[in-house]
Amino acid sequence: MENLEQIKTLFGDVAEKAALEVKDIIKEHGSKKIGEVTIAQIYQGMRGITGLVSETSLLDAQHGISFRGYSIDQLKEHLPTFKPNGEPKPEGLFYLMLLNQLPTSSDASIITNHWQRRSHVPNYVFDTIDALPIKTHPMTMFVVGVMALQSESKFALQYSKGMGKKEYWGYTYDDTMDLIARLPRVAAHIYRRKYKNDVHIQPDGLLDWSGNFAHMLGYDDESFHELMRLYLTIHADHEGGNVSAHTTHLVGSALSDPYLSYAAGMNGLAGPLHGLANQEVVKWIFEMNDELKSENPTKEQIAKYVEKTLEEGKVVPGYGHAVLRKTDPRFTAQMEFAKKYLPNDTFVNIVWKIYEVVPPILSTKGKIKNPWPNVDAHSGSLLLHYGLNEFEFYTVLFAVSRALGVLSSLCWDRALGLSIERPKSVTTNLIKKWLKGEEVSIWD
Ligand code: HAX
């Protein structure tokens, strides 16, 4: 693969074939049923209802995430790295998710180069962020920054001029590449404004997407750059039903452009039951340490604090999952990183102790379906080790990574011509009538 235009052409070819296949599937099998919907599912977050197509990754309750069929371990084995035997480059994962084929090292470098060239952020975007009070949460600043960028949308411009359905994916792709390229600059601006006296750092054109992002944040330790490569890879996608992916898809289904769709998804990522859990984990551990007046609590002390958290009706952040029923492989990947680079870090060791203590406690409570840690249980401790201790910023890092998955998915939504999303809702009154055996024509 020589240049980005070729990547776009290749995507067009792959997607066109897939779209024809999908048309045939709908024509031949469209009336076949996948599962049934229960009343509990209607009230409890549609858990377990298969109701979406998302091509870029798939979640298995036992084995965790696979990206186009590749587990995280396999990504580590097969994706190009920045340095020999290093962590995978997220550029390679983006290529894999978009094209459904593994990139060569030069394929991943082409993406790096193009993201570098497209990374200019107009000053008015920074001015818009700077107009917000400094106390504003970094995720709010981030979404405001993305919304300010929206005036750059090629999809929106072209739609206003009038374009046919066949052209949708091309402009979605262009916006996707521009937006992903610009996000590290927006995020780094927020970080440096809020936490580093508004002193900003120029990009380094010799670095890859992750390394340059880390550099603009102000972190030039090579192992931190490796952490960013791993972090931005493993947080990228988690199939289509999670709040951030689903929201991006939903808003995109109204033909809202990629900027609008992604911003909407990131408002969902900013919820404490979703991506914000990464800051909550660190906050919760700090609060525990404060209360116990210890920087290294024992397992017994941690167990008591967990019980207290539950008695107060709060969740233990970083534990549980709507789909997974095992330790999240993204947790394990971070644990392996920590064992390699920072095995003696005190805070990381608390995270590992919590991992021993929490699952048995949550299991005994009966109602929690998955007592195991998710991705957010570990990520903050790694960032803390390198001095990135402004934990309110952690979800912004997650958001930058999540762009890769939700936006490559949006390219697929447009290429496959997926419809505007509009599930049917009902009222409790209607359900009560139906339970009494009264005639309810709506779903017959
Ligand atoms: N601590 C305490 N209670 C928990 C819990 C936890 N970690 N996880 C689940 N529960 C509770 C639920 O609140 C629910 O209680 P109610 O019946 O009183 O409402 C009950 O156990 C059953 O929940 P579930 O079916 O096991 O889990 P859900 O699919 O409803 O929710 C969540 C999944 C991830 C939201 C949940 O496990 C949770 O709140 N975890 C803590 C927050 C967290 O770590 N979020 C990040 C998840 C991963 C992610 O999206 N990252 O971005």
Side-chain angles (χ1 to χ4, degrees):
M1 188 67 47
E2 273 162 19
N3 62 46
L4 199 72
E5 256 329 290
Q6 279 177 280
I7 294 181
K8 187 173 178 183
T9 309
L10 182 58
F11 175 66
D13 293 345
V14 174
E16 194 179 343
K17 259 193 220 139
L20 289 175
E21 257 174 26
V22 168
K23 254 193 181 150
D24 283 348
I25 291 173
I26 297 171
K27 197 169 156 202
E28 268 190 50
H29 307 287
S31 59
K32 289 191 179 145
K33 288 187 179 168
I34 298 179
E36 286 174 354
V37 179
T38 65
I39 288 179
Q41 286 172 314
I42 293 178
Y43 281 103
Q44 294 175 331
M46 299 193 280
R47 205 72 80 253
I49 297 176
T50 302
L52 289 173
V53 170
S54 181
E55 304 289 9
T56 45
S57 67
L58 187 66
L59 194 54
D60 178 278
Q62 297 300 322
H63 298 112
I65 188 70
S66 66
F67 302 88
R68 296 287 192 180
Y70 292 91
S71 67
I72 289 176
D73 281 345
Q74 289 168 328
L75 291 186
K76 283 162 93 176
E77 200 180 321
H78 295 295
L79 286 186
T81 57
F82 185 75
K83 51 185 245 181
N85 301 319
E87 302 298 333
K89 286 204 311 190
E91 290 92 321
L93 174 63
F94 176 78
Y95 184 102
L96 172 66
M97 289 192 290
L98 187 76
L99 296 175
N100 194 15
Q101 76 186 44
L102 281 172
T104 62
S105 187
S106 94
D107 293 331
S109 297
I110 286 168
I111 305 245
T112 306
N113 294 341
H114 276 266
W115 286 351
Q116 265 166 4
R117 268 187 260 159
R118 290 170 176 241
S119 65
H120 173 73
V121 174
N123 276 337
Y124 67 81
V125 174
F126 298 133
D127 293 344
T128 308
I129 294 169
D130 293 351
L132 296 168
I134 200 80
K135 67 174 185 195
T136 309
H137 192 281
M139 272 305 278
T140 309
M141 291 191 186
F142 183 72
V143 173
V144 167
V146 173
M147 288 307 300
L149 264 176
Q150 188 271 341
S151 60
E152 298 275 303
S153 170
K154 292 173 178 151
F155 183 95
L157 178 68
Q158 211 53 36
Y159 196 86
S160 72
K161 288 183 183 164
M163 70 168 149
K165 285 186 177 174
K166 284 212 153 66
E167 293 175 87
Y168 290 171
W169 72 259
Y171 291 102
T172 302
Y173 173 87
D174 291 339
D175 277 357
T176 290
M177 297 305 274
D178 288 344
L179 182 49
I180 293 174
R182 291 158 161 171
L183 290 177
R185 294 207 67 179
V186 172
H189 181 88
I190 292 164
Y191 182 71
R192 302 291 307 180
R193 175 190 180 228
K194 190 166 165 80
Y195 303 113
K196 303 292 171 187
N197 300 321
D198 226 353
V199 177
H200 299 279
I201 299 173
Q202 286 308 303
D204 179 344
L206 297 176
L207 286 167
D208 58 329
W209 189 66
S210 316
N212 184 42
F213 183 24
H215 166 72
M216 289 189 294
L217 290 171
Y219 296 85
D220 279 320
D221 182 317
E222 188 38 49
S223 65
F224 184 81
H225 288 200
E226 281 292 272
L227 172 63
M228 272 298 102
R229 290 175 190 117
L230 177 70
Y231 187 104
L232 297 173
T233 296
I234 62 175
H235 286 79
D237 209 25
H238 218 224
E239 74 166 36
N242 68 75
V243 171
S244 51
H246 186 194
T247 307
T248 307
H249 164 81
L250 168 67
V251 174
S253 83
L255 291 189
S256 304
D257 64 58
Y259 293 83
L260 295 170
S261 309
Y262 169 72
M266 294 312 104
N267 280 317
L269 192 77
L273 295 188
H274 191 17
L276 204 79
N278 58 9
Q279 78 163 47
E280 295 302 296
V281 167
V282 169
K283 195 165 148 236
W284 181 81
I285 298 175
F286 277 138
E287 284 167 0
M288 171 175 75
N289 286 358
D290 272 356
E291 192 164 313
L292 298 173
K293 297 189 177 37
S294 164
E295 301 235 312
N296 197 0
T298 64
K299 285 190 216 166
E300 291 69 31
Q301 287 175 308
I302 293 172
K304 272 195 188 150
Y305 194 77
V306 170
E307 293 286 4
K308 180 173 170 263
T309 301
L310 294 171
E311 276 159 24
E312 287 169 353
K314 299 176 186 162
V315 295
V316 179
Y319 282 77
H321 202 273
V323 180
L324 286 170
R325 293 296 175 259
K326 268 209 160 164
T327 296
D328 190 332
R330 299 172 298 175
F331 177 93
T332 313
Q334 295 178 91
M335 196 170 179
E336 281 163 10
F337 182 95
K339 283 183 180 162
K340 181 169 166 192
Y341 287 102
L342 35 123
N344 300 318
D345 182 280
T346 311
F347 202 89
V348 165
N349 277 276
I350 298 178
V351 166
W352 293 348
K353 269 191 233 170
I354 294 172
Y355 181 29
E356 288 179 55
V357 168
V358 169
I361 297 179
L362 293 186
S363 300
T364 59
K365 303 296 168 201
K367 66 175 184 174
I368 298 160
K369 296 194 191 66
N370 179 45
W372 302 104
N374 57 57
V375 65
D376 300 313
H378 212 312
S379 53
S381 64
L382 301 178
L383 298 165
L384 268 181
H385 175 84
Y386 293 97
L388 208 165
N389 55 14
E390 301 88 356
F391 52 75
E392 282 197 341
F393 188 73
Y394 293 171
T395 313
V396 175
L397 298 175
F398 194 157
V400 171
S401 170
R402 191 43 62 106
L404 306 181
V406 300
L407 291 173
S408 53
S409 244
L410 199 61
C411 291
W412 273 94
D413 293 352
R414 294 288 75 86
L416 295 180
L418 300 188
S419 309
I420 185 165
E421 196 174 286
R422 199 346 182 152
K424 178 82 188 81
S425 68
V426 289
T427 60
T428 299
N429 262 344
L430 194 83
I431 290 175
K432 287 196 312 206
K433 266 179 154 187
W434 181 72
L435 289 173
K436 279 190 217 151
E438 288 178 35
E439 194 183 322
V440 172
S441 57
I442 277 180
W443 56 71
D444 290 338

